[in-house]
Amino acid sequence: MARVSDSKQSISENNRYLFGWYSCTWGTALMVALPVLSVFYLALFPKENIWTHLANTVLPVYITTTLMLMLGVGALSIAIGVCGAWLVTMCRFPGRRIFEWALLLPFAVPAYVIAYVYTDLLEYSGTLQIFLRQLFGWQSARDYWFPDIRTLGGAILMLALVLYPYIYLLARAAFLEQSTTIHDASRTLGCTAWQSFYRVSLPIARPAIAVGLSLVSMETINDFGTVDYFAVKSMSAGIYDTWLNMSNLGGAAQIASLMMIFVVILISLERLARAKQRQFHSADRFKTLTGYPLKGGRAWGATLLCALPVIAGFIIPVSVLAGYALNNLDQLWSSDFQLHASHSFILSGCAALLTILVALLLAYSKRLHKSRSLRLAARFSSLGYAMPGAVLAIGVIIPLAAFDNFVDRLMEQLLGISTGLLLSGTAFAIIFAYVVRFLAVSVGSVESSLNKITESMDMASRSLGHSPLQTLVKVHLPLIKGGVLTAALVVFVDCMKELPATLILRPFNYDTLATYVYQYASDEMLEACSLAALLIVLVGIIPVILLSRTISASRHSN
């Protein structure tokens, strides 16, 4: 009887543990999803409904411009990313080993930074036009024609130069995983290298390219710094204008809801594009790739094609920033620069830590209690990554402001004191937005690491009397620390670069490196903020190195 009682007690205790993990998981998922729900609620029930006015005036322009921006950036990113991935994976030419990782370097440069740099170089008072006027003796802009960088086309080029690595990364991974037997068979059937690429490799890699394209499109929708600086009327800029310039949060929420519909359509199209394709790895996927040797003009042409995006997307911007920064090194010791840098590092560090903790909770709960409900909770928690920063800012400010107002009214009634802003308008709002925005990155990395650990280790730990929490701390964390650290670094860098949500949610007179760069560069003072911009880029190189090592280790090639 004692054994039966002990067994029942053990089962009851186990159920309590599972229920506790289950409750925490769903509670966290709902908290993360709260900004999404808040945006749709305010869009449906605004205090002042200006939807008709928006639809009759600026909304068609916002939608058309956003669609054109997405199509342009997507097409150019596919051209650069797929071409570069194929060349460095399947062809042999001078500099290939360098370009394998160098093509990822523009990933470290925020889009708004590269936009500021090229505007500084190419505008009428910029270095290039001054040089041309001196060279040809031109006196004014009427004497010659020069393309205007601050246009929709310029925004497309700037965004594509820093976003194509999404497609390059996934396309190269897909090419590396393809069977050499298939390529050998295509060559024996008389296909040239180009025909083999077009008829065999590209169709197989299409699902990976579709995923990369969806990421590029979402980042394009999310961008605010570039479109604002170039005066491009996208929906992201429209949210900012409607909320802060027209003082209508409900109208901004309605535009934000429309943006969310765009994102849902993008995700649905991406899944539809690869729904009917199933990929299987053959036994020779780890066989060394031999590739196609290029000679003469073709070889140097391939080198040039790979060098152009690296030069335009990384070397030129970094060189310009470094040149300006050398003349402003005294800023390193200025109190303002150190304060802005400390804000960025503290906010990003706190967000990275919290994101990892939440990711561990969600991923480990799914491992403990395999159910459709918990899988749904994990998907709920990943909604934030699909939310553009401007949309996320609205979704965060609504519930936090409601909480602050409730507490303030309550304290006024009970104690006759005003509590003011407790959460909204503070650093907490920014950190919360970061966690919601980048949680999906951490969850994916942590879950991937946990899946590599056999479940027999869980059972062995439990048989030794360890609780689920003790098993996580003593068994799993030491084994997955590499994946956890990688996720934390990627989130940290993403937070350092994030601009739209930070710009809207920051407290009064509170700047990070990103908002500091935005403010000065918007006032045509790039040199004054060059050191801050360069620091953001240098920090952004960290995930580039990690990503390069990951895809290079997947398969060896000669």
Side-chain angles (χ1 to χ4, degrees):
M1 292 294 291
R3 290 183 179 179
V4 173
S5 177
D6 291 342
S7 177
K8 289 182 177 180
Q9 183 177 357
S10 176
I11 293 173
S12 177
E13 183 177 351
N14 184 55
N15 288 336
R16 284 199 301 271
Y17 270 119
L18 290 176
F19 179 75
W21 282 94
Y22 193 92
S23 302
C24 289
T25 301
W26 261 108
T28 303
L30 290 175
M31 185 177 296
V32 171
L34 185 60
V36 182
L37 302 176
S38 299
V39 169
F40 282 113
Y41 176 81
L42 185 59
L44 292 173
F45 307 103
K47 291 183 179 180
E48 182 183 353
N49 193 352
I50 62 170
W51 177 254
T52 304
H53 172 71
L54 290 174
N56 293 331
T57 55
V58 294
L59 196 59
V61 177
Y62 291 153
I63 295 174
T64 303
T65 305
T66 301
L67 287 174
M68 293 175 64
L69 193 66
M70 289 167 54
L71 290 173
V73 174
L76 191 54
S77 296
I78 287 177
I80 299 173
V82 175
C83 179
W86 169 257
L87 287 174
V88 300
T89 304
M90 301 302 299
C91 300
R92 304 295 171 258
F93 56 92
R96 181 185 66 87
R97 289 288 187 184
I98 296 175
F99 292 123
E100 284 182 354
W101 56 267
L103 280 164
L104 285 171
L105 288 176
F107 194 67
V109 185
Y112 53 87
V113 170
I114 199 173
Y116 301 149
V117 169
Y118 275 102
T119 301
D120 189 69
L121 284 175
L122 302 178
E123 64 183 352
Y124 180 77
S125 58
T127 306
L128 182 58
Q129 291 202 51
I130 290 176
F131 171 75
L132 291 175
R133 288 196 297 271
Q134 292 175 348
L135 181 64
F136 295 103
W138 295 326
Q139 299 299 317
S140 68
R142 290 175 296 181
D143 298 334
Y144 65 99
W145 176 86
F146 196 87
D148 186 5
I149 186 67
R150 298 176 73 166
T151 60
L152 177 61
I156 289 172
L157 179 60
M158 296 299 100
L159 288 168
L161 282 176
V162 297
L163 294 180
Y164 81 83
Y166 280 110
I167 294 177
Y168 167 78
L169 179 71
L170 294 169
R172 185 172 177 234
F175 292 147
L176 284 169
E177 291 175 352
Q178 291 179 11
S179 169
T180 58
T181 305
I182 297 177
H183 293 284
D184 293 341
S186 68
R187 298 307 297 273
T188 59
L189 293 174
C191 289
T192 63
W194 163 251
Q195 291 172 330
S196 180
F197 162 73
Y198 184 74
R199 296 179 180 179
V200 179
S201 297
L202 190 59
I204 295 176
R206 193 181 71 182
I209 296 171
V211 174
L213 180 60
S214 69
L215 292 173
V216 167
S217 299
M218 285 192 287
E219 289 297 329
T220 301
I221 294 176
N222 177 59
D223 178 79
F224 171 75
T226 305
V227 297
D228 176 66
Y229 191 58
F230 283 10
V232 174
K233 299 297 183 180
S234 70
M235 284 195 288
S236 182
I239 289 175
Y240 193 88
D241 184 61
T242 305
W243 183 358
L244 300 182
N245 295 335
M246 298 175 60
S247 300
N248 194 297
L249 184 58
Q254 290 170 335
I255 300 176
S257 299
L258 190 60
M259 286 182 71
M260 287 298 297
I261 294 174
F262 267 60
V263 171
V264 171
I265 293 174
L266 281 174
I267 296 173
S268 301
L269 290 175
E270 177 264 316
R271 291 184 177 178
L272 184 64
R274 56 191 177 95
K276 297 181 180 180
Q277 286 202 1
R278 299 185 65 187
Q279 304 293 327
F280 299 93
H281 298 305
S282 65
D284 67 345
R285 70 171 289 245
F286 295 107
K287 182 181 177 181
T288 300
L289 290 171
T290 54
Y292 310 112
L294 301 179
K295 297 179 181 180
R298 291 186 178 183
W300 291 109
T303 302
L304 180 62
L305 283 175
C306 291
L308 284 176
V310 178
I311 293 171
F314 184 80
I315 294 178
I316 291 178
V318 171
S319 298
V320 172
L321 292 175
Y324 287 157
L326 287 175
N327 297 325
N328 293 273
L329 284 178
D330 56 320
Q331 287 185 357
L332 284 173
W333 293 272
S334 70
S335 58
D336 284 345
F337 180 84
Q338 293 176 0
L339 183 63
H340 302 329
S342 66
H343 287 164
S344 289
F345 282 101
I346 291 172
L347 290 174
S348 301
C350 291
L353 178 60
L354 288 173
T355 303
I356 288 298
L357 293 176
V358 175
L360 284 169
L361 170 66
L362 294 172
Y364 194 56
S365 296
K366 284 181 63 178
R367 185 181 180 92
L368 286 177
H369 197 75
K370 295 179 175 60
S371 68
R372 182 177 299 178
S373 178
L374 283 183
R375 287 197 299 271
L376 181 61
R379 288 183 181 178
F380 249 82
S381 67
S382 299
L383 287 175
Y385 191 71
M387 292 182 68
V391 178
L392 181 60
I394 294 177
V396 167
I397 205 67
I398 294 170
L400 295 188
F403 175 82
D404 286 346
N405 291 333
F406 171 76
V407 173
D408 186 65
R409 286 195 302 268
L410 185 63
M411 296 302 291
E412 282 275 7
Q413 294 173 359
L414 296 179
L415 303 176
I417 61 174
S418 175
T419 57
L421 299 178
L422 298 175
L423 299 179
S424 59
T426 67
F428 174 85
I430 303 177
I431 294 174
F432 180 53
Y434 286 170
V435 172
V436 173
R437 176 91 167 87
F438 302 114
L439 180 60
V441 177
S442 293
V443 171
S445 181
V446 172
E447 192 172 343
S448 176
S449 298
L450 279 175
N451 289 338
K452 296 176 182 178
I453 302 175
T454 177
E455 294 190 1
S456 61
M457 298 190 72
D458 297 60
M459 292 184 285
S461 176
R462 298 299 299 277
S463 66
L464 294 174
H466 291 155
S467 67
L469 182 60
Q470 290 172 326
T471 302
L472 173 64
V473 173
K474 294 182 178 180
V475 178
H476 293 120
L477 281 181
L479 296 174
I480 65 172
K481 60 183 180 182
V484 169
L485 180 61
T486 299
L489 285 173
V490 172
V491 171
F492 179 86
V493 172
D494 282 340
C495 294
M496 287 281 293
K497 297 191 294 183
E498 211 288 327
L499 177 64
T502 310
L503 195 63
I504 296 173
L505 295 173
R506 65 194 170 116
F508 178 73
N509 202 26
Y510 185 98
D511 280 310
T512 63
L513 290 175
T515 60
Y516 174 75
V517 170
Y518 167 78
Q519 288 181 333
Y520 272 84
S522 298
D523 293 334
E524 310 292 342
M525 299 173 64
L526 179 62
E527 190 169 351
C529 64
S530 58
L531 192 62
L534 186 62
L535 181 57
I536 294 174
V537 173
L538 293 178
V539 173
I541 292 177
I542 297 174
V544 169
I545 296 172
L546 295 173
L547 290 171
S548 179
R549 287 183 175 181
T550 300
I551 60 176
S552 295
S554 64
R555 185 170 190 166
H556 297 290
S557 59
N558 293 329

